[in-house]
């Protein structure tokens, strides 16, 4: 466990004038308030805030950030209050601690909603003060380092969240050393078999590769010295998860991943960097389209470097990065580099530009009330790769890889996106689904009477474009539903010789709005049009009960009436009612235990999707309905799994035996053998739920020569 004296010594080393008294007071208060608390490892709880503070010193942050790191769990896990912290440490420290603190004590409809609200709060706090996320990342990194003390199910959940949100966030902020360690630890827990395989392969070749690194380094140093370019040359292995991603993306074995080792040349000035790239290309032949100039066009997170891949002395590909020392500091610490030594200063223009994506995300979250849509937007904004395209005026726009002209149009302005009818790239007409490439010049053609198309959701890549298209579609659907709802209510009320217009400002309509869970009369009428409320329900509030015949009231009861005879239980409860017309979506095959959501379809009952299913994100919220699995059901459900393995005699028999051992029945099976002596095995099996499936996957994954086992969406 790191000691407070070590932390104070580190701060003094890089910030001699720092207010160490603030850090010492924070340490004493944290030790007192956490006294008696113990972590799962058995260590005193104080070890965690100390380790977080230690990680913050590696980012060379100032005393305000370090103090907040020592206090980051006090509001959540102790009796400390914001008033206490403000009185003792001042508002800046308290505001940061408040931003880091998770939401607690609030009721959410699902764990996904809870996670979404935590992430939303973190994003909003981060927009006010970037130090919030720096502390949150250090907090997550230490928790990942001690993940072995959690239960297996919790390990997988935390590791997946880290891979989905925190590692990409560290990458988006340019803090690559945190990103790589988060990815490697998450990789270890999510894919243990593949992790061990990559680690063993790297260890096996370590001595051989070290000799190779030394040879290349000496060759570069000699050539640079001849050109009077003093430099530092570093050779490094790619991190384990990066190697695994290469293997999966390129569908190759470890031996075929060519750029496991990368070299970095660090110089003093920008002109020297361009001179060095010329020397490298004169020594070794560059590979076409592999040169990238991130000095001329920096990444949104301020990263700058020259990248090239060349054919090395042994005929193999070699990846080389060239940058200045200042660029190397920013490449290591990213946005945190701004806060080093100068916590009270304002962002300069260059640093502020790196927050454009964050400001846009904050703007988008105001329009996204649905947690699933919000999380999708966050994941889209945390994309790892960008393309850089030019506007007709020559301005550079950074967009996610595979972005389209529609994404470009919405990045310019919402109205440009809404009115987009076509696009020119480098002067030639292209389809709206065309994937833009770095360096292209894009011109958008608009028409004032044009509107967004629902089909755009199938190819747009940015959260902004997706959000704006959905907003327009929802607005149009609401108009139609409002018109239809009025017609339906009027039709029922005319039977009793009255009109809806008469009641729209009455006390009775206000009571109906309140009792039926809506905010306004228009919302209620639109709900009738969507099919969530019947016109008869509205009429019961507007007319004396004696006038209205006893008819079926809700969409639930109407759906139940369509079931002839008693059907077998589906295992799904709709608002506490079973025996309802339910069908399971073929796109995601939900199982008991999966978080699910329902979609009301007129005349077809309720379609059940997994909440993670891409189709569920396009469901109109007005037609979405809460579902839950019945506590007990004897139903079994089909699900497809994919087993990637090395081809060997008897392996198929071992896999089928493991599936049988897991008490699952095989409904269908197929095997395809690849040229590289690997095999893809596809099985359709029947299981009772998600836990049953997880048990089967674990049994198959333990078999020797099995590389990966995964559940398929369809």
């Amino acid at each position: 466990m790191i000691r407070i004296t070590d932390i104070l010594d580190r701060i003094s080393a890089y910030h001699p004038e720092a207010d160490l008294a603030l850090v010492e007071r924070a340490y004493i208060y944290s030790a007192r308030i956490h006294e008696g608390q113990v972590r799962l490892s058995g260590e005193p709880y104080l070890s965690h805030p100390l380790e977080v503070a230690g990680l913050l010193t590696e980012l060379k942050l100032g005393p305000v950030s370090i103090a907040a790191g020592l206090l980051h769990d006090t509001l959540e896990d102790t009796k400390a209050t914001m008033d206490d912290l403000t009185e003792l440490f001042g508002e800046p420290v308290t505001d940061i601690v408040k931003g880091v603190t998770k939401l607690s004590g609030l009721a959410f409809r699902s764990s996904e909603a809870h996670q979404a609200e935590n992430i939303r709060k973190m994003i909003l706090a981060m927009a006010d003060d970037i130090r919030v996320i720096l502390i949150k990342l250090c907090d997550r990194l230490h928790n990942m380092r001690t993940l072995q003390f959690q239960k297996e199910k919790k390990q997988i959940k935390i590791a997946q969240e880290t891979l989905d949100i925190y590692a990409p966030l560290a990458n988006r902020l340019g803090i690559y050393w945190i990103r790589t360690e988060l990815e490697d630890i998450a990789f270890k827990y999510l894919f243990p078999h593949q992790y061990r395989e990559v680690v063993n392969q790297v260890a096996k070749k370590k001595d051989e590769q070290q000799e190779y690194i030394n040879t290349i380094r000496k060759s570069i140093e000699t050539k640079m010295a001849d050109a009077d370019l003093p430099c530092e040359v570093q050779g490094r292995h790619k991190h384990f998860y990066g190697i695994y991603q290469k293997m999966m993306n390129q569908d190759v074995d470890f031996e075929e991943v060519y750029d496991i080792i990368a070299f970095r040349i660090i110089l003093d000035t920008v002109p020297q960097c361009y001179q060095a790239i010329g020397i490298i290309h004169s020594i070794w032949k560059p590979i076409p389209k592999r040169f990238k100039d991130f000095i001329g066009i920096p990444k949104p997170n301020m990263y700058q470097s020259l990248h090239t891949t060349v054919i090395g002395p042994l005929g193999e590909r070699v990846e080389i990065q060239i940058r200045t020392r200042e660029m190397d500091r920013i490449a290591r610490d990213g946005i945190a580099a701004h806060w080093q030594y100068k916590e009270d200063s304002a962002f300069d223009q260059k640093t502020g530009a790196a927050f454009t994506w964050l400001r846009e995300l904050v703007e988008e979250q105001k329009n996204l009330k649905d947690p699933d849509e919000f999380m999708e937007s966050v994941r889209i904004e945390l994309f790892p790769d960008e393309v850089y395209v030019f506007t007709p005026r020559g301005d550079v726009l950074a967009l996610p890889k595979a972005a389209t002209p529609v994404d470009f149009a919405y990045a310019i302005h919402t109205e440009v996106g809404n009115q987009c009818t076509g696009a020119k790239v480098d002067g030639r007409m292209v389809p709206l689904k065309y994937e833009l490439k770095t360096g292209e010049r894009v011109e958008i053609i608009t028409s004032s009477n044009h509107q967004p198309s629902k089909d755009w959701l199938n190819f747009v890549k940015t959260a902004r474009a997706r959000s704006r298209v959905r907003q327009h579609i929802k607005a149009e659907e609401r108009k139609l539903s409002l018109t239809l709802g009025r017609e339906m209510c009027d039709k029922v009320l005319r039977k009793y010789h009255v009109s809806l217009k008469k009641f729209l400002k009455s006390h009775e309509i206000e009571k109906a709005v309140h009792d039926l869970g809506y905010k306004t009369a228009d919302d209620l009428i639109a709900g009738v049009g969507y099919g969530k409320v019947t016109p008869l329900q509205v009429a019961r509030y507007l007319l004396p009960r004696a006038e209205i015949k006893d008819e079926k009231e809700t969409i639930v009861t109407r759906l139940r009436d369509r079931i002839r005879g008693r059907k077998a239980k589906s295992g799904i409860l709709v608002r506490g009612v079973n025996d309802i017309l339910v069908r399971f979506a073929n796109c995601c095959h939900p199982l008991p235990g999966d978080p699910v959501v329902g979609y009301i379809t007129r005349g077809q009952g309720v379609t059940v999707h997994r909440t993670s299913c891409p189709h569920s994100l396009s469901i109109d919220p007005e037609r979405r309905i809460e579902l839950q699995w019945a506590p007990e059901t004897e139903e079994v459900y089909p699900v497809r799994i994919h087993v990637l393995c090395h081809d060997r005699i008897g392996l198929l028999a071992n896999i089928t035996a493991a599936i049988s051992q897991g008490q699952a029945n095989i409904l269908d099976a197929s095997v395809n053998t690849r040229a590289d002596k690997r095999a893809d095995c596809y099985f359709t099996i029947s299981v009772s739920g998600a836990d049953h499936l997880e048990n089967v996957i674990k049994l198959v994954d333990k078999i020797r020569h099995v590389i990966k086992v995964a559940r398929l969406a369809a």
Side-chain angles (χ1 to χ4, degrees), residues 117 120 364-374:
E117 288 302 322
R120 189 194 299 268
E364 293 308 313
Q365 68 84 31
K366 295 176 183 175
N367 303 314
L368 298 174
K369 306 304 180 188
D370 183 84
D372 297 327
E373 287 187 18
F374 173 70

Side-chain angles (χ1 to χ4, degrees), residues 10-31:
R10 288 184 189 178
I11 300 172
S12 298
Y14 63 75
H15 192 354
E17 299 175 1
D19 179 11
L20 297 182
L22 177 66
V23 179
E24 289 175 327
R25 290 203 312 277
Y27 166 71
I28 293 168
Y29 184 81
S30 183

Side-chain angles (χ1 to χ4, degrees), residues 459-500:
F459 58 77
V460 293
K461 292 294 184 290
T462 61
R464 182 182 181 86
R466 192 173 292 274
S467 170
R468 294 298 186 266
V469 173
R470 279 183 177 149
Q471 280 179 36
H472 180 82
I473 292 168
K474 286 175 186 174
E476 290 301 306
E477 288 187 349
R478 179 179 169 82
K479 285 180 188 175
L480 292 172
S481 295
L482 199 53
T483 302
L484 180 60
R486 284 198 180 104
E487 289 176 0
M488 293 170 70
C489 288
D490 262 331
K491 186 177 179 181
V492 169
L493 290 171
R494 275 199 300 270
K495 293 179 183 179
Y496 305 99
H497 311 292
V498 292
S499 69
L500 177 64

Side-chain angles (χ1 to χ4, degrees), residues 418-670:
N418 287 343
Q419 297 174 10
C420 173
T421 58
K424 288 183 179 180
V425 171
D426 292 338
R428 60 189 174 86
M429 291 294 296
V430 297
L432 289 179
K433 62 171 68 173
Y434 173 81
E435 293 186 0
L436 299 173
K437 300 175 183 62
T438 294
E440 292 180 329
R441 181 175 172 274
V442 186
E443 181 182 349
I444 300 299
I445 301 167
T446 61
S447 172
S448 58
N449 58 2
H450 187 263
Q451 294 182 338
S453 166
K454 193 171 185 178
D455 293 338
W456 290 1
L457 292 174
N458 296 325
F459 58 77
V460 293
K461 292 294 184 290
T462 61
R464 182 182 181 86
R466 192 173 292 274
S467 170
R468 294 298 186 266
V469 173
R470 279 183 177 149
Q471 280 179 36
H472 180 82
I473 292 168
K474 286 175 186 174
E476 290 301 306
E477 288 187 349
R478 179 179 169 82
K479 285 180 188 175
L480 292 172
S481 295
L482 199 53
T483 302
L484 180 60
R486 284 198 180 104
E487 289 176 0
M488 293 170 70
C489 288
D490 262 331
K491 186 177 179 181
V492 169
L493 290 171
R494 275 199 300 270
K495 293 179 183 179
Y496 305 99
H497 311 292
V498 292
S499 69
L500 177 64
K501 189 176 181 180
K502 174 185 174 183
F503 291 103
L504 280 180
K505 294 183 180 180
S506 66
H507 174 73
E508 288 82 1
I509 196 73
E510 290 177 6
K511 188 173 190 317
V513 168
H514 178 268
D515 290 357
L516 294 172
Y518 289 90
K519 292 183 179 178
T520 66
D522 278 354
D523 290 340
L524 173 59
I525 302 305
V528 175
Y530 281 118
K532 299 189 82 172
V533 181
T534 68
L536 190 66
Q537 284 180 279
V538 178
R540 286 191 184 280
Y541 284 90
L542 306 183
L543 298 170
R545 285 194 173 272
E547 294 185 25
I548 301 178
K549 297 176 183 177
D550 188 18
E551 298 180 35
K552 302 298 177 188
E553 285 190 354
T554 67
I555 190 165
V556 173
T557 53
R558 286 195 293 153
L559 290 170
R560 290 180 70 187
D561 283 349
R562 292 195 179 98
I563 303 171
R564 292 182 173 86
R566 185 168 180 83
K567 303 257 184 178
K569 288 186 179 180
S570 65
I572 284 287
L573 297 179
V574 182
R575 292 177 181 171
V577 181
N578 55 14
D579 283 351
I580 193 169
L581 185 59
V582 167
R583 66 187 187 91
F584 294 95
N586 291 326
C587 53
C588 56
H589 292 297
L591 298 174
D594 290 333
V596 289
V597 65
Y599 179 60
I600 299 173
T601 309
R602 292 190 184 97
Q604 297 182 29
V606 175
T607 303
V608 183
H609 290 269
R610 289 161 65 190
T611 53
S612 58
C613 173
H615 289 92
S616 73
L617 294 171
S618 62
I619 292 174
D620 182 349
E622 297 294 342
R623 293 197 181 180
R624 189 173 292 175
I625 190 168
E626 298 295 330
L627 301 180
Q628 65 184 67
W629 293 98
E632 295 180 7
T633 177
E634 297 178 0
E635 292 290 303
V636 291
Y637 304 81
V639 64
R640 292 192 74 208
I641 61 171
H642 170 223
V643 182
L644 176 62
C645 55
H646 294 291
D647 192 20
R648 68 167 170 83
I649 296 173
L651 184 58
L652 183 59
N654 294 152
I655 294 172
T656 55
I659 293 173
S660 298
Q661 183 187 345
Q663 303 296 312
N665 187 34
I666 300 175
L667 304 176
D668 185 55
S670 64

Side-chain angles (χ1 to χ4, degrees), residues 48-67:
H48 174 62
L50 276 171
E51 292 292 346
V52 170
L55 290 169
L56 292 168
T57 62
E58 292 187 37
L59 290 171
K60 296 184 172 62
L61 297 188
V64 171
S65 300
I66 308 296

Side-chain angles (χ1 to χ4, degrees), residues 669-709:
S670 64
V671 179
N672 298 318
T673 306
R674 303 183 187 181
D676 60 0
K677 295 186 178 179
R678 291 196 289 182
D680 294 291
C681 306
Y682 297 93
F683 298 92
T684 302
I685 61 177
S686 57
V687 294
S688 60
D691 290 340
H692 186 187
L693 175 62
E694 186 179 344
N695 182 49
V696 172
I697 287 176
K698 283 180 183 177
L699 290 171
V700 175
D701 194 41
K702 289 178 182 177
I703 298 172
R704 189 168 59 91
H705 291 160
V706 167
I707 301 170
K708 181 176 70 171
V709 188

Side-chain angles (χ1 to χ4, degrees), residues 212-451:
Y212 169 80
I213 289 173
N214 293 337
T215 301
I216 298 289
R217 184 193 292 125
K218 286 177 183 176
S219 179
I220 294 174
E221 287 173 342
T222 301
K223 291 293 181 181
M224 295 297 159
D226 292 344
D228 195 24
L229 287 176
C231 66
E232 179 185 347
V233 182
Q234 302 170 350
R236 61 179 180 85
H237 287 85
K238 282 192 179 295
H239 65 298
F240 299 134
Y241 185 66
I243 295 172
Y244 174 71
Q245 279 187 308
K246 289 266 185 185
M247 292 168 63
M248 291 298 104
N249 294 340
Q250 299 172 11
D251 196 19
V252 296
D253 289 327
F254 178 85
E255 291 76 12
E256 298 173 75
V257 180
Y258 63 83
D259 53 354
I260 287 174
I261 299 171
F263 292 87
R264 187 175 296 150
I265 304 173
I266 302 173
L267 302 114
D268 294 323
T269 67
V270 171
Q272 288 178 341
C273 293
Y274 286 102
Q275 190 178 346
I277 197 76
I279 293 171
I280 292 298
H281 285 173
S282 69
I283 306 172
W284 297 305
K285 184 178 179 181
I287 294 173
K289 298 183 180 180
R290 294 287 296 177
F291 172 66
K292 296 176 182 176
D293 185 353
F294 293 119
I295 293 179
I297 305 178
K299 289 189 176 184
N301 58 19
M302 303 194 310
Y303 176 87
Q304 289 182 286
S305 189
L306 298 176
H307 288 197
T308 188
T309 303
V310 298
I311 303 296
L314 303 178
E316 77 298 347
R317 294 186 177 196
V318 180
E319 184 183 304
I320 297 174
Q321 301 169 357
I322 302 172
R323 62 179 68 144
T324 66
R325 299 186 191 282
E326 175 64 11
M327 291 173 190
D328 191 56
R329 182 175 75 90
I330 292 174
R332 182 186 183 276
D333 295 337
I335 210 76
H338 171 83
W339 289 103
Q340 295 172 355
Y341 326 114
K342 48 179 182 177
E343 285 200 312
D344 296 328
S345 63
F347 280 130
D348 55 32
Q349 185 176 358
K350 183 179 175 183
T351 309
F355 281 94
T356 301
W357 67 275
L358 179 58
R359 287 194 296 271
E360 289 181 355
L361 184 57
V362 170
E363 283 301 311
E364 293 308 313
Q365 68 84 31
K366 295 176 183 175
N367 303 314
L368 298 174
K369 306 304 180 188
D370 183 84
D372 297 327
E373 287 187 18
F374 173 70
M375 290 303 290
E376 182 197 24
S377 293
V378 171
R379 291 187 179 102
I380 289 172
E381 285 300 336
L382 298 182
F383 54 83
D385 298 314
E386 295 89 16
V387 293
Y388 301 89
V389 293
F390 294 91
T391 68
R393 293 184 355 185
D395 297 327
V396 178
L397 276 185
L399 296 169
K401 190 174 181 180
T404 66
V406 176
D407 295 297
F408 178 91
Y410 277 108
I412 299 296
H413 194 276
T414 298
E415 283 307 308
V416 175
N418 287 343
Q419 297 174 10
C420 173
T421 58
K424 288 183 179 180
V425 171
D426 292 338
R428 60 189 174 86
M429 291 294 296
V430 297
L432 289 179
K433 62 171 68 173
Y434 173 81
E435 293 186 0
L436 299 173
K437 300 175 183 62
T438 294
E440 292 180 329
R441 181 175 172 274
V442 186
E443 181 182 349
I444 300 299
I445 301 167
T446 61
S447 172
S448 58
N449 58 2
H450 187 263
Q451 294 182 338

